[in-house]
Amino acid sequence: MIEVQNLSVRVGDTRAVRRVNLSIGAGERLGVVGESGSGKTMLALALMGMVPDGLTVDGVIRIDGNDLSRASETTWAAYRAQKIAMIFQEPMSALNPLRRIGDIVAEPLLVHQGISRNDARQKVLALFDETGIPDANRRLQQYPHQLSGGQRQRVLIALALACDPSLLIADEPTTALDANIALRITDLLVRLSRERQMALLFISHDLSAVSRTTEDLLVMYGGDIVERGKTRHLLASPSHPYTSGLLSARPRIEQNAGPRRLPTIPGTVPSLFDLPPGCRFAGRCDRELPICRATIPQPAATVSGGFASCHLLNQPSQDQTGQAPR
Amino acid sequence: MKQSLLSVENISRHYRLPRRRLLDRQPVLTAVDGASFQLQRGETLGVVGESGSGKSTLAKMVMAFERPDQGRVLFDGSDINELSAAALKQIRRHFQMVFQDPFGSLDPRRKVGWSIAEPLRAMATDDLSQINDRISATLQQVGLQARDADKYPHEFSGGQRQRIAIARAIITHPALLVADEAVSALDVSVQAQILNLLMDLKQELGLGILFISHDLAVVASICDRILVMRNGRIIETGPTAQVLTNPAHEYTGTLLVAAQI
Ligand SMILES: Nc1ncnc2c1ncn2[C@@H]1O[C@H](COP(=O)(O)OP(=O)(O)OP(=O)(O)O)[C@@H](O)[C@H]1O
Ligand SMILES: Nc1ncnc2c1ncn2[C@@H]1O[C@H](COP(=O)(O)OP(=O)(O)O)[C@@H](O)[C@H]1O
Ligand code: SF4
Ligand SMILES: [Mg+2]
Ligand SMILES: [Mg+2]
């Protein structure tokens, strides 16, 4: 369905996404995790032909076999109308505040599928039901500001699903949702991907949502993919220190719940303009080696059957399981 | 008895819904229905509940952005809806809010330093000559750099913008912070940092925090007490460990189960 080779997003003389390769077949579900600023949204926008002005994309993006890397805005617009859809991270800015939500979601149906107003209305109602928007009939008439944050997010999801896309890119779709609704949405995405053979790129920092929704997983950091593999195996036995850090920072409900400090990864994602020359994670990593600052680690096979770019994986002291010693 | 920092007494808020037909009676949605609770200095009170249960509406009334149709909100003993506009403006510095949607709350055309200092200028009582020092110090407090003050919001990623929003809320050294889904848009590592930051601020400044979140695990790791909302009502309240290990209400149990999948 979609195939990406050597994709980079250039910002001045640095890159927000660096030489990414990925492919998602019909009915496949790929997840992307990583801290904010690691390039997830830029990657998604590149796949939509929507990177902001001033940024440039190179590499190959093939959708259904067609190379879109040099495509015009008109071609991209046609793909966006019919094949690929995106659920944006920013619900408020993606919804026109002056229009009723029923009209917002009906519009692509009227324009691109040419169905009657009445059929469009029925379809919108069905979408609202599926995404768990309560009291759908009345909600059609409401404006975005009259909905709660989680309800607005679900309107966006309904909008993205309206035209039966063959590739859906979901950027943090469940972040604003409580656990019950998030479960419902991830179940819905999995079901749609199965039933309609929809390819899904699911971007999230919610590791439990990712593990429920996706089969394969990319971990991004500083514009690079630092680890990849089968979601289940990768999360069960992470090889990259960054992946382990993300997993341990996750709050959990424990026996003696109450205020307590969480383990964190020190510092923040470095700015694109002062990335360390070797491993991008150097300086924040608790297992750093002398070689790390200066030399970029190459991808190596991991215990979980995937790849990770970390010098620990090439250490001679590494034991048989491939797990580097603590 | 010591006075509560925040005391909410039986407040309700109704919204009118569109009519289905012209001559129908206009239906009314009760977003918050008779809520009462208290919050002490140095305490973090969590508000959980499913989407649409009335959490943000409750927050808006606590912040005096909306008037309750019924009931009172007392900040430090005074009814905020009885204050004159000028008096309300004066005490606003003491209660600040971090919003659910950080993208909407920053002016895209202003440098973030300007946006962060907005609450200070709004009060106009402080010595503005030190405003730049305050901006630098506050940015560092939330894990950003002093030079970030000269950048525009679009130059930051989502998580960084949420830190900016928190910086703006704490720059006046408030006594009460209302955080509506303040960490929901953040990735786990930054979320952990911000939660730790809020705990530090609570300790250093004796801050009372009304912490609204749909994420039970997050609430469990930061709050002293929890309040569970459903359909606009507070159905359960108690110390965190008690509510989570031994919920009195069946609904709380279902939230717990969903949170642990
Ligand atoms: N301005 C408004 N006009 C009409 N209805 C509104 C308005 N604001 C909120 N509501 C309704 O009030 C109810 C409670 O909304 P509120 O924003 O308080 O929910 P919430 O608990 O914060 O949900 P979420 O977790 O999704 O943010 C919802 O049904 C919402 O649609
Ligand atoms: N319009 C822009 N111009 C320049 N840099 C940008 C722009 N938007 C985002 N960036 C930078 O690109 C990097 C990746 O951002 P983004 O893809 O939004 O991260 P994520 O979605 O993983 O949080 C960040 O360093 C961010 O500051
Ligand atoms: S290469 Fe070095 S710094 Fe980078 S993640 Fe591995 S151990 Fe840490
Ligand atoms: Mg993003
Ligand atoms: Mg809300």
Side-chain angles (χ1 to χ4, degrees):
Chain A
M1 171 58 224
I2 186 161
E3 206 187 336
V4 166
Q5 286 164 2
N6 237 333
L7 180 78
S8 294
V9 176
R10 287 179 189 278
V11 184
D13 51 12
T14 174
R15 297 174 200 191
V17 173
R18 209 170 300 107
R19 286 188 284 273
V20 163
N21 295 301
L22 62 85
S23 80
I24 317 172
E28 290 179 358
R29 305 185 302 277
L30 174 68
V32 183
V33 296
E35 288 168 286
S36 61
S38 56
K40 307 181 299 293
T41 298
M42 279 301 149
L43 172 62
L45 292 177
L47 302 185
M48 290 286 290
M50 288 177 75
V51 296
D53 289 345
L55 279 61
T56 52
V57 175
D58 36 68
V60 178
I61 302 174
R62 253 187 231 109
I63 296 181
D64 281 342
N66 302 314
D67 184 357
L68 287 179
S69 28
R70 304 257 172 290
S72 65
E73 176 46 33
T74 336
T75 312
W76 272 114
Y79 271 85
R80 285 197 296 268
Q82 273 147 28
K83 292 229 159 243
I84 49 182
M86 178 159 167
I87 301 168
F88 290 92
Q89 192 175 353
E90 310 180 11
M92 212 36 201
S93 38
L95 291 172
N96 181 343
L98 302 178
R99 301 194 57 202
R100 298 173 197 273
I101 59 169
D103 296 337
I104 295 177
V105 180
E107 179 176 287
L109 293 168
L110 296 170
V111 176
H112 302 300
Q113 302 200 333
I115 61 178
S116 75
R117 281 212 159 264
N118 209 20
D119 288 351
R121 186 188 147 88
Q122 289 313 315
K123 185 144 185 210
V124 173
L125 279 177
L127 283 164
F128 279 13
D129 263 358
E130 274 190 309
T131 49
I133 297 172
D135 205 1
N137 224 321
R138 251 186 213 127
R139 299 277 175 196
L140 294 176
Q141 307 291 325
Q142 290 195 307
Y143 294 93
H145 78 270
Q146 296 176 314
L147 304 185
S148 79
Q151 290 161 349
R152 284 199 285 264
Q153 183 66 49
R154 280 171 274 165
V155 170
L156 275 189
I157 295 171
L159 178 62
L161 293 174
C163 280
D164 295 331
S166 25
L167 168 66
L168 177 67
I169 300 174
D171 193 1
E172 309 277 7
T174 57
T175 305
L177 305 176
D178 60 273
N180 286 319
I181 298 289
L183 264 180
R184 191 151 159 184
I185 297 294
T186 51
D187 287 352
L188 173 69
L189 293 178
V190 171
R191 182 162 60 76
L192 289 174
S193 127
R194 291 218 177 98
E195 285 173 6
R196 304 182 186 175
Q197 287 296 296
M198 178 179 82
L200 177 67
L201 182 68
F202 186 87
I203 300 174
S204 182
H205 62 258
D206 179 346
L207 296 168
S208 63
V210 167
S211 70
R212 284 199 307 268
T213 315
T214 65
E215 307 160 287
D216 297 279
L217 186 59
L218 306 177
V219 182
M220 272 189 96
Y221 185 79
D224 288 316
I225 291 174
V226 296
E227 182 163 4
R228 62 166 78 206
K230 290 279 164 210
T231 307
R232 210 146 41 89
H233 303 312
L234 198 160
L235 293 180
S237 43
S239 291
H240 200 285
Y242 180 59
T243 316
S244 316
L246 287 181
L247 277 163
S248 57
R250 197 156 55 126
R252 260 164 306 209
I253 298 176
E254 279 158 22
Q255 273 307 310
N256 277 317
R260 98 182 70 93
R261 295 190 76 82
L262 294 162
T264 61
I265 304 174
T268 49
V269 180
S271 144
L272 288 181
F273 299 95
D274 42 42
L275 290 174
C279 173
R280 317 288 175 195
F281 193 47
R284 297 181 71 197
C285 178
D286 58 1
R287 300 176 64 189
E288 198 174 313
L289 305 165
I291 181 182
C292 298
R293 296 251 165 182
T295 315
I296 297 182
Q298 296 305 315
T302 61
V303 263
S304 64
F307 291 89
S309 305
C310 168
H311 290 303
L312 289 171
L313 293 172
N314 298 321
Q315 285 303 295
S317 59
Q318 200 178 318
D319 67 22
Q320 282 309 308
T321 62
Q323 193 88 55
R326 275 267 156 198
Chain B
M1 208 191 101
K2 244 184 73 192
Q3 191 156 81
S4 299
L5 178 60
L6 174 69
S7 175
V8 167
E9 298 176 352
N10 196 27
I11 57 173
S12 299
R13 178 79 174 111
H14 311 286
Y15 292 114
R16 289 173 194 291
L17 290 177
R19 287 184 179 83
R20 252 186 249 202
R21 271 185 305 253
L22 195 61
L23 298 178
D24 280 2
R25 260 213 7 240
Q26 186 155 30
V28 169
L29 180 147
T30 304
V32 172
D33 192 359
S36 301
F37 64 89
Q38 269 147 29
L39 172 64
Q40 314 302 330
R41 278 164 221 285
E43 180 186 40
T44 306
L45 174 62
V47 181
V48 296
E50 64 189 3
S51 173
S53 58
K55 307 181 297 292
S56 296
T57 307
L58 185 72
K60 284 185 254 177
M61 289 191 283
V62 166
M63 288 301 297
F65 294 142
E66 291 203 0
R67 261 188 116 79
D69 296 315
Q70 172 204 310
R72 305 197 300 165
V73 178
L74 307 180
F75 180 80
D76 225 354
S78 50
D79 183 338
I80 56 175
N81 291 297
E82 295 289 306
L83 296 173
S84 67
L88 181 61
K89 196 171 161 185
Q90 272 312 307
I91 68 160
R92 259 203 191 284
R93 63 176 307 159
H94 301 301
F95 52 99
Q96 294 282 337
M97 179 156 177
V98 183
F99 290 94
Q100 180 163 2
D101 185 358
F103 312 102
S105 64
L106 290 172
D107 185 338
R109 290 155 308 179
R110 297 282 191 178
K111 290 183 175 167
V112 305
W114 189 94
S115 292
I116 290 173
E118 204 180 350
L120 284 181
R121 278 190 306 270
M123 298 172 333
T125 48
D126 287 46
D127 177 5
L128 293 181
S129 67
Q130 293 187 352
I131 209 160
N132 287 333
D133 294 343
R134 276 289 266 289
I135 295 171
S136 307
T138 312
L139 278 169
Q140 282 161 5
Q141 237 175 339
V142 299
L144 294 170
Q145 288 162 354
R147 63 181 148 96
D148 289 331
D150 289 324
K151 298 186 188 160
Y152 290 91
H154 76 266
E155 298 177 64
F156 295 90
S157 66
Q160 293 166 327
R161 276 185 260 188
Q162 190 57 293
R163 285 173 184 257
I164 296 167
I166 292 176
R168 180 167 62 180
I170 62 171
I171 198 165
T172 60
H173 301 323
L176 171 68
L177 189 69
V178 176
D180 187 0
E181 305 284 3
V183 300
S184 307
L186 306 178
D187 47 77
V188 280
S189 66
V190 181
Q191 185 177 69
Q193 290 174 0
I194 299 277
L195 291 174
N196 291 344
L197 169 70
L198 289 175
M199 274 190 274
D200 292 344
L201 293 172
K202 166 179 123 171
Q203 242 146 38
E204 283 163 25
L205 313 174
L207 204 59
I209 306 178
L210 186 65
F211 188 89
I212 299 169
S213 176
H214 64 267
D215 188 335
L216 265 186
V218 165
V219 167
S221 62
I222 183 174
C223 295
D224 304 298
R225 276 194 309 135
I226 296 188
L227 181 163
V228 183
M229 284 190 80
R230 184 182 199 190
N231 295 334
R233 287 175 202 241
I234 296 174
I235 58 164
E236 170 157 10
T237 164
T240 304
Q242 180 195 314
V243 172
L244 294 182
T245 46
N246 195 5
H249 209 283
E250 191 191 334
Y251 173 72
T252 312
T254 65
L255 287 182
L256 260 170
V257 170
Q260 281 165 327
I261 289 178

